[in-house]
DNA sequence: TATGAATGAGCATTCATTCAT
DNA sequence: CATGAATGAATGCTCATTCAT
């Protein structure tokens, strides 16, 4: 049983196999170190077929990025129930995020490491996805401020920076959770939620930490 | 004046030139895409000399990582005055971090992007540096708790996670600050400080955000 | 009307389409650069069908050469009225030659450029056709000598060389006429006829061969 | 003695070896069929060295064309004594041409067959050389007319066509002479000279152009 | 009759690395 | 100390050709 020298499959199926193999190889070896030979072999097909269906290494890599980006954003969206209060939505989103990245380490490596490291065209692909998440978080912050009956009065750039920081922290924690035995997605989400929400809560109530002013530095 | 057909320079100087060229090339092209030819040319020496001094491409890359990691951690340490309260120390450390990464984009690219993307040996090098920063932050968190006259009672892993999140957020904001025109190192530090400290302050005072309990999930 | 999603056509028609596509592709791209994919697509059929009908790329190319060679020699023959004096016959043959090559540039490119450039088997095909033309010209030369009431006393090899030179000049002028705007087939034929029949010496002395005027052709 | 695994030769020497090998391979196999592997092996070097010195297959081919074109035109020029009457100059040029092409069949194949068959950039290279020869012949024709005390009154285009025809006939006869055993360069030149200068008509009437007798050459 | 699916084999090109001087 | 000369080993990509349906 199993892969008995699979032959003559419809194109869509083969294409999925190739993308699976490519994500796995790119994620583990890196874009440049991954060879088309290796990907083809892992996919159980010959190299020309990979080129016939996916055109080039660049196109194949792009297809991987797009597929994994879509899967991740959809997982986060699917994990969030829109009716809930902002903090609950964020909590659910974080859980979905950590769960998905833990379950798809190669895909996450492609997005988080490889795609950003190998040239603008690929990085732009990921930037687009990341922007989606940042916008999602930004909106939650704004909604949270409204729910706290506060006109945030936070400058827009400040909110953007906070969302960036939160997403960055999440990305970093995802790697940490995957690498640290015994840390579940739920625990990672809880840690980040603590870190983020208590901090944001205070900000919403108008009690920010105040940076020191008279330090003698320029700028 | 300037590069006067460099001949017969002491080894230390030559080595610095090579590392400068290598960091610049690795940072911009990436580890695999950077060729020894290009590095040697940029350094103004012949390729065999690069091999004579630095043995191999892997060793050269490792040397780059080590030099840049040392420079970064030393910059952070040098920016912090030990006597101050924990929050001030963190603030100063963040400012030093954002300032250094902004001033050394290629070095930061080597550490943050390239080193993590091209195999365990290199990633481990960066992990070590990162661990230093995480330990530094962890200690600050513990000190802060003590200063607040609180027995934190935060489990050790929780503190580690918070430090991870903070460092991750900083790394992410560094890229954001570099890419967003008009965001200075100081502003990035302030944003992150707000985000982090207000949240941590509440945690210290025993008012964490409480994750929902009855959800029916396993794990 | 036109190519109405060709289905189930008789073999002869399909084969003609394929040869048309092949001549066009071989003529423009060259033998090696032309791909069976491109030919099949241009012919509007699937690749296996091309192989079913024509066996291999080599066979296909050979078929192209044979078809175009036959077309060219038949065009020349059809253009010559056997009863006329030798010089008139030559004149008509040259006109037919230049007209045909001008009207079938791809076929001419296959014969004149591609077939000679890609290995003996193909070159031999063309040599055979060329031999036909050389023989035709040789006979005209012999007949002309007889008509001049002269025992030519030209050694056979000399006559062969003259015929070779004439055919070679014609081939070369065909390319020149096609590439030079404003030079018609008739003009090319006249130039060559002058050159061949009168020779530069006579031309210099104002004694050109005079092409027949009233022939009823247009242009 | 002989090629005892030649090592460490100056660049210029190696480059010549490579070009020799390339001309031979391109001339015999054709541009596309010739592989860089084969050329490198024939040159007695490794493939990377070929690329280091000649950059690419295209550049290598272009270098071959240029070298052979230069060699051919220089051979023709060197064979002609400028002071002589036009017909004698033409005669000497033809002899040099047939001699050179007979002695360099691969180079001639590169110029006459391969370069014209594999794309405009290469063909243009040969066209330039051919133009030189055509101009040379054109001038001889004009001079001959003047020597015959005739204002040629031949239209310029007509002269151009005659020169084209002559050069084309020469090119064609070169192949014929090489392929026909027992035909020397001198004989080929004589045949063509007769054809060109006297014309078939005169030849038929027993008035050939007479090649100079006392030249002191053997054969 | 006609084709979608699939591949073995080859090719141009690049790169890290090493001698001999 | 410093380098010009040279290569083994990959790697991305293409193409003629063949099954199974």
């Amino acid at each position: 049983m199993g892969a008995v020298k699979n032959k003559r499959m419809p194109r869509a199926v083969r294409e999925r196999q190739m993308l699976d193999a490519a994500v796995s190889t790119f994620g583990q070896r890196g874009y440049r170190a991954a060879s088309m030979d290796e990907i083809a072999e892992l996919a159980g097909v010959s190299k020309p077929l990979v080129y016939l269906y996916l055109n080039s290494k660049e196109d194949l890599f792009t297809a991987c990025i797009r597929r994994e980006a879509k899967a991740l954003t959809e997982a986060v969206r699917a994990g969030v129930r829109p009716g809930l209060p902002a903090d609950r939505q964020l909590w659910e989103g974080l859980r979905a995020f950590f769960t998905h990245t833990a379950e798809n380490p190669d895909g996450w490596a492609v997005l988080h490491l490889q795609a950003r490291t190998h040239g603008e065209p690929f990085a732009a692909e990921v930037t687009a996805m990341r922007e989606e998440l940042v916008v999602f978080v930004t909106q939650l912050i704004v909604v949270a401020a409204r729910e706290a009956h506060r006109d945030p009065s936070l400058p827009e750039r400040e909110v953007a920076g906070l969302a960036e920081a939160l997403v960055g922290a999440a990305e970093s924690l995802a790697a940490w959770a995957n690498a640290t035995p015994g840390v579940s997605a739920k625990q990672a989400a809880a840690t980040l939620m603590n870190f983020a929400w208590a901090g944001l809560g205070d900000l919403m109530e108008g009690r920010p930490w105040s940076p020191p002013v008279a330090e003698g530095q320029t700028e």
Side-chain angles (χ1 to χ4, degrees), chain A:
Chain A
M1 71 184 161
V4 277
K5 201 57 184 174
N6 8 7
K7 289 267 183 189
R8 300 274 145 179
M9 332 209 9
R11 174 168 181 151
V13 177
R14 276 279 191 249
E15 231 166 315
R16 224 183 73 87
Q17 293 176 332
M18 290 177 195
L19 284 178
D20 289 345
V23 167
S24 168
T25 309
F26 285 139
Q28 278 159 20
R29 295 256 190 283
Y31 174 63
R32 302 275 307 224
S35 83
M36 295 297 273
D37 277 283
E38 189 179 1
I39 292 170
E41 188 178 31
L42 185 59
V45 297
S46 69
K47 219 181 348 171
L49 201 60
V50 179
Y51 279 89
L52 189 61
Y53 286 176
L54 277 314
N55 297 321
S56 73
K57 196 183 187 184
E58 289 200 2
D59 283 6
L60 174 57
F61 192 44
T62 304
C64 289
I65 296 172
R66 292 216 174 114
R67 191 182 80 166
E68 295 304 312
K70 198 173 168 216
L72 175 54
T73 54
E74 283 180 354
V76 169
R77 261 184 230 293
V80 173
R81 280 167 294 177
L84 300 183
D87 62 336
R88 293 296 294 271
Q89 287 193 44
L90 182 56
W91 161 251
E92 289 183 343
L94 287 175
R95 282 205 49 173
F97 176 81
F98 287 116
T99 301
H100 184 86
T101 54
E103 284 170 351
N104 301 280
D106 290 336
W108 177 238
V110 165
L111 292 176
H112 184 51
L113 292 179
Q114 303 304 332
R116 317 190 99 150
T117 322
H118 294 284
E120 256 315 299
F122 305 137
E125 214 66 50
V126 166
T127 300
M129 174 207 73
R130 200 172 192 277
E131 195 56 25
E132 267 196 64
L133 297 179
V134 168
V135 164
F136 176 65
V137 170
T138 302
Q139 288 172 335
L140 285 185
I141 293 176
V142 171
V143 168
R146 202 176 303 135
E147 284 172 352
H149 302 291
R150 287 263 172 192
D151 181 3
S153 81
L154 284 172
E156 205 173 319
R157 164 159 299 163
E158 190 72 10
V159 175
L162 292 171
E164 271 291 332
L166 180 48
V167 171
E171 289 169 346
S172 191
L173 274 189
W176 173 74
N178 281 348
T180 308
V183 174
S184 67
K186 190 175 176 181
Q187 288 167 329
T191 295
L192 181 52
M193 201 59 204
N194 256 325
F195 180 67
W197 208 253
L200 290 176
D202 276 9
L203 290 175
M204 292 311 115
E205 295 177 21
R207 295 191 290 149
W209 175 86
S210 61
V213 275
E215 283 198 39
Q217 285 108 340
T218 57
E219 191 191 25

